[in-house]
């Protein structure tokens, strides 16, 4: 297996979704997407899905996709693919919050793997309109994403940007 090629294929593909997800977490706050509304006594999405987070996630994701396109000299491929990936990432993350609320879980309650895979699956499904990564690349991303996610959370905790280390 060519590890450097695998790393390159995996990260040049998923980076806009990673940046989108991190930017949403960094800038999220204020007005929730569900406007505080409830369905059957429970919040539709909860306070963890906001207009600000979604907006900044999208903007930073688009910028990342454009930069990847410029660096790899293929903007006409990476920019539209990036837009699909980040739209899917945001939708995947939101759908997962919807199901967490239906299961009665409070906002921020962790569900291992679902929390780290929701946006990867969302990104891959939307992105598949334009490009489908190899199975090897996708499996690699499913393995490394939770590891990267947990490491970033630990760093954010140490920098006092997050209340809990996970
Ligand atoms: N965020 C946001 N808007 C989004 C996605 C994320 O504002 N569309 C921000 C919120 O501040 C959220 C943080 O990013 O708290 C982390 O996102 P996530 O882990 O998905 O949300 P949780 O707070 O864990 O909520 P949930 O239980 O719904 O997953
Ligand atoms: Mg989530």
């Amino acid at each position: 297996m060519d590890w450097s090629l695998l790393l390159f294929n995996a990260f040049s593909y998923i980076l806009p979704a990673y940046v989108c997800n991190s930017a949403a977490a960094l800038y999220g706050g204020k007005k929730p997407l569900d406007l505080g509304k409830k369905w059957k006594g429970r919040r539709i999405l909860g306070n963890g899905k906001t207009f600000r987070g979604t907006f900044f996630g999208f903007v930073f994701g688009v910028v990342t996709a454009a930069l990847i396109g410029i660096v790899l000299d293929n903007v006409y491929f990476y920019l539209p693919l990036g837009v699909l990936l980040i739209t899917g990432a945001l939708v995947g993350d939101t759908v997962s919050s919807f199901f967490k609320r239906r299961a009665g879980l409070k906002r921020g309650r962790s569900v291992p793997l679902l929390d780290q895979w929701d946006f990867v699956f969302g990104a891959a499904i939307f992105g598949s309109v334009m490009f489908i990564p190899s199975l090897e690349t996708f499996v690699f991303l499913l393995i490394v994403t939770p590891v990267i996610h947990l490491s970033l959370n630990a760093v954010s905790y140490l920098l006092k940007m997050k209340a809990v280390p996970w």
Side-chain angles (χ1 to χ4, degrees), residues 49 93 96-97 100 115 118:
K49 298 291 143 328
D93 189 38
S96 124
S97 291
K100 283 169 80 176
D115 285 330
D118 53 12

Side-chain angles (χ1 to χ4, degrees), residues 21 24-29 33 45-54 90 93-94 96-98 100-101 105-110 115 118 149:
N21 205 255
L26 274 176
Y27 293 99
L33 286 178
L45 300 172
N47 286 338
K49 298 291 143 328
T50 68
F51 284 95
R52 262 180 64 112
T54 307
L90 290 164
D93 189 38
T94 303
S96 124
S97 291
F98 176 81
K100 283 169 80 176
R101 298 304 86 81
L105 296 171
K106 292 257 177 295
R107 172 260 173 112
R109 272 287 299 277
S110 82
D115 285 330
D118 53 12
H149 200 265

Side-chain angles (χ1 to χ4, degrees), residues 32-115:
L33 286 178
D34 66 6
L35 304 170
K37 289 197 169 61
K38 290 184 177 180
W39 184 45
K40 292 186 182 170
R42 289 168 181 158
R43 284 289 295 277
I44 300 175
L45 300 172
N47 286 338
K49 298 291 143 328
T50 68
F51 284 95
R52 262 180 64 112
T54 307
F55 174 77
F56 283 104
F58 194 85
V59 169
F60 278 80
V62 170
V63 171
T64 305
L67 288 176
I68 294 172
I70 291 167
V71 170
L72 301 180
D73 201 18
N74 202 349
V75 177
Y76 296 109
F77 174 72
Y78 286 101
L79 186 55
L81 175 62
V83 170
L84 289 170
L85 291 170
I86 60 183
T87 306
L90 290 164
V91 170
D93 189 38
T94 303
V95 167
S96 124
S97 291
F98 176 81
F99 285 115
K100 283 169 80 176
R101 298 304 86 81
R102 304 288 71 71
L105 296 171
K106 292 257 177 295
R107 172 260 173 112
R109 272 287 299 277
S110 82
V111 179
L113 298 185
L114 176 72
D115 285 330

